[in-house]
Amino acid sequence: MRLSKKKRQSRLIESFQKNPFLTDEEMAKQCSVSIQTIRLDRMELGIPEMRERLKHMAEKSFDEVRSLSPEEVIGEVISLELDQSGVSVLEISVDHVFERNQIARGHYLFAQANSLAVAIVNADLVLTRSAAIRFVRPVTLGEKCVAHAKVVQKQPSRFQVDVETKVLDDMVFQGVFDVYRATN
Amino acid sequence: MRLSKKKRQSRLIESFQKNPFLTDEEMAKQCSVSIQTIRLDRMELGIPEMRERLKHMAEKSFDEVRSLSPEEVIGEVISLELDQSGVSVLEISVDHVFERNQIARGHYLFAQANSLAVAIVNADLVLTRSAAIRFVRPVTLGEKCVAHAKVVQKQPSRFQVDVETKVLDDMVFQGVFDVYRATN
DNA sequence: CACGTTCTAGTACCTAGTACTAAATTAGTA
DNA sequence: TACTAATTTAGTACTAGGTACTAGAACGTG
């Protein structure tokens, strides 16, 4: 049985969201309407064709992979003295910001600082126990965040790492991380 | 000038890795050979066509997109009372953990909590000013983190949001977020 | 020179579409 | 019920970015 246009369209939105890999042909079968109807619907709803959808997803994930890298560290570490200090750089890309206002989401700045704090400690397994952080001023698209980390307290298996992130000379983030060497 | 077959092919591998969006035509131009040569090369090297490459990337990122979503919120928000409380769930996937020990990187837990704290506040533009957090115990692959957020202090443009993340009844993360409504 | 490798050219075909025209069907309503 | 408007379907021409295949040209080397 066939749904009304409205119902079909809202179903389309949901379906394509849930499974962007669906072709018009498959959708047409699922809705038991012609392929042209599905295409008209996509036009009206502004849903791009499958290939474009996949391209979009690939693009988004491609940048993400490079910036919010699946590596151990977010941001590029440009210097590192184990158990002492380190510097990493993170350039704020479209993937890091709120669409509306181009301001970076806090957790990316946190991730950069946290990763650096963990990377700095010379041990196999290092975890964060706690942190106190402050977002001093919003960071916007394109700005280059340079995080400086310094170990300020060293105990056999416990470290306090201070991180300050700046854009040029402008402090944007400040954090104190309490990290520890865990037994594997 | 033209490279030897071997050099061209290793260049192809590199190029396609660096930019999977390249078509055969573009590659052909770059190498100043015919499009057929590029296709023969891809055959030999077992590199699929661009559309398949993108589809592959999209597939890989699809699961990721749902959990580590590029949306405003990390984790799935399952309930939300604006200006009051909210709950979100994040299942720890391979993308969230250190390879060595399957322990989730702290910033994902932070991201979940931070996103929820921001989502809870009913305003167009909400940013985090500061936070104090504690990683109570490590979270491992597959565990389902349920974050409960509660607004504990409300001022016209400033909120204190407490977040507690649990795995079953086990507290794993605790944070106090100071967020504010910003002028756009 | 002959032979094999490498490269190019060209054709037929494919998928998943766009853009468009035109007809058929259905729904609403005076 | 008849007319109109919205909706749906059908069909054609065309596109990108390919596959699969055939055939010939150019090059290098013994």
Side-chain angles (χ1 to χ4, degrees):
Chain A
M1 55 105 188
R2 312 253 279 261
L3 300 153
S4 72
K5 192 180 177 181
K6 271 196 182 172
K7 289 203 173 173
R8 189 187 55 240
Q9 292 199 342
S10 60
R11 187 180 154 180
L12 283 198
I13 294 175
E14 208 192 332
S15 291
F16 282 132
Q17 193 132 30
K18 236 175 47 191
N19 182 6
F21 300 87
L22 282 170
T23 61
D24 290 355
E25 204 183 348
E26 291 169 319
M27 272 313 303
K29 266 182 203 160
Q30 272 191 34
C31 296
S32 34
V33 292
S34 74
I35 210 169
Q36 280 83 352
T37 303
I38 298 296
R39 284 174 184 168
L40 286 174
D41 285 342
R42 273 201 300 102
M43 295 297 131
E44 281 185 41
L45 299 170
I47 298 174
E49 61 167 291
M50 184 211 47
R51 285 164 177 169
E52 288 304 310
R53 294 197 296 272
L54 299 195
K55 194 177 174 182
H56 217 80
M57 293 172 66
E59 269 165 356
K60 256 193 338 196
S61 81
F62 189 56
D63 293 345
E64 230 173 271
V65 165
R66 288 203 289 195
S67 55
L68 192 155
S69 91
E71 309 266 301
E72 316 284 278
V73 176
I74 284 192
E76 198 185 351
V77 175
I78 54 174
S79 87
L80 195 63
E81 280 183 281
L82 288 174
D83 287 343
Q84 290 192 48
S85 67
V87 180
S88 88
V89 177
L90 173 69
E91 185 169 343
I92 301 304
S93 80
V94 284
D95 298 312
H96 303 129
V97 301
F98 293 104
E99 265 184 57
R100 276 194 298 288
N101 45 49
Q102 314 279 67
I103 291 181
R105 283 162 220 169
H107 46 259
Y108 288 104
L109 285 172
F110 176 83
Q112 180 191 18
N114 183 53
S115 299
L116 185 59
V118 163
I120 213 175
V121 173
N122 183 20
D124 264 358
L125 174 49
V126 182
L127 297 174
T128 308
R129 188 190 308 277
S130 64
I133 57 182
R134 214 157 54 96
F135 296 92
V136 182
R137 79 139 165 92
V139 178
T140 54
L141 185 58
E143 291 191 308
K144 219 169 231 161
C145 299
V146 182
H148 287 257
K150 205 184 287 178
V151 174
V152 295
Q153 243 190 65
K154 229 189 294 189
Q155 279 170 301
S157 66
R158 211 163 157 176
F159 295 77
Q160 190 188 315
V161 183
D162 282 13
V163 182
E164 277 186 15
T165 305
K166 290 182 178 178
V167 172
L168 298 178
D169 279 337
D170 221 6
M171 169 107 65
V172 295
F173 172 93
Q174 207 180 31
V176 177
F177 292 82
D178 182 16
V179 302
Y180 65 105
R181 202 183 303 215
T183 42
N184 211 334
Chain B
M1 55 102 187
R2 311 252 279 262
L3 300 154
S4 71
K5 193 181 177 183
K6 270 197 181 172
K7 288 203 176 175
R8 189 187 58 239
Q9 292 200 342
S10 59
R11 187 180 154 180
L12 284 197
I13 294 174
E14 207 193 335
S15 291
F16 282 132
Q17 193 131 30
K18 234 173 54 188
N19 182 4
F21 301 87
L22 281 170
T23 60
D24 290 354
E25 203 180 350
E26 290 169 318
M27 272 311 305
K29 266 184 203 158
Q30 273 192 31
C31 296
S32 34
V33 293
S34 75
I35 210 169
Q36 281 82 353
T37 302
I38 298 296
R39 285 175 183 167
L40 285 175
D41 285 343
R42 272 202 300 101
M43 294 296 132
E44 280 184 42
L45 298 170
I47 299 174
E49 61 167 294
M50 183 210 48
R51 284 163 180 171
E52 288 304 310
R53 294 197 295 273
L54 299 195
K55 194 176 174 185
H56 217 80
M57 292 172 67
E59 270 166 355
K60 254 194 344 197
S61 80
F62 188 52
D63 295 341
E64 230 175 272
V65 163
R66 288 202 288 197
S67 53
L68 190 157
S69 101
E71 309 266 302
E72 316 285 281
V73 175
I74 283 193
E76 199 186 351
V77 175
I78 55 175
S79 88
L80 195 63
E81 280 183 283
L82 289 174
D83 286 344
Q84 291 193 46
S85 66
V87 180
S88 88
V89 177
L90 173 68
E91 187 170 340
I92 301 303
S93 79
V94 284
D95 300 312
H96 303 127
V97 301
F98 292 104
E99 266 185 58
R100 276 196 298 288
N101 45 49
Q102 316 279 68
I103 291 180
R105 283 163 222 169
H107 46 261
Y108 287 105
L109 284 172
F110 176 83
Q112 180 192 17
N114 183 54
S115 299
L116 184 59
V118 163
I120 213 173
V121 173
N122 184 19
D124 264 359
L125 174 49
V126 182
L127 297 175
T128 308
R129 188 190 306 278
S130 64
I133 57 181
R134 214 157 51 95
F135 296 91
V136 182
R137 79 140 165 90
V139 179
T140 54
L141 184 60
E143 290 192 309
K144 220 169 229 160
C145 298
V146 183
H148 288 258
K150 205 185 287 179
V151 173
V152 294
Q153 241 189 69
K154 230 188 295 191
Q155 279 170 303
S157 67
R158 207 162 158 179
F159 296 77
Q160 189 187 315
V161 183
D162 282 14
V163 182
E164 276 185 15
T165 306
K166 288 181 181 181
V167 172
L168 299 177
D169 279 338
D170 221 6
M171 168 107 68
V172 295
F173 173 94
Q174 209 180 28
V176 177
F177 292 82
D178 182 18
V179 302
Y180 65 105
R181 203 182 304 218
T183 43
N184 212 333

